[in-house]
Amino acid sequence: VQESLTNANRHGRAKNVGITIGIVDGNLRIIIADDGEGVAGDIVPGFGLRHMGERLNMLGGALRYWSVNGFVVDVSLPMAGKEQA
């Protein structure tokens, strides 16, 4: 969340950021969406996005992101104690 807020301010110059947190199918889901400038064309992940993805991967989670009317980061992280298939 902290990295996404930093990126929304620094790179996207967002005025508003929405954060949604919930549990879906035994996974913690965090979605951070901003109304910033977004990215035209292909997204080339910088240090922040790459590092978030690496940390989530180590924990069995996943990171998705896209740019539509701003930028969206979607994190999925298994809840502690959840059996992995």
Side-chain angles (χ1 to χ4, degrees), residues 2 9 13-14 18 22 37 40 42-43 45 47 51-52 54 71 78:
Q2 180 179 357
N9 182 47
R13 294 186 262 297
E37 295 176 4
D42 293 336
I43 298 170
F47 176 79
H51 194 63
M52 284 193 298
E54 291 169 0
F71 200 78

Side-chain angles (χ1 to χ4, degrees), residues 38-69:
V39 177
D42 293 336
I43 298 170
V44 178
F47 176 79
L49 285 173
R50 283 195 318 267
H51 194 63
M52 284 193 298
E54 291 169 0
R55 286 182 287 174
L56 285 162
N57 189 34
M58 288 188 319
L59 297 170
L63 172 68
R64 296 184 320 134
Y65 44 84
W66 60 91
S67 183
V68 176
N69 299 324

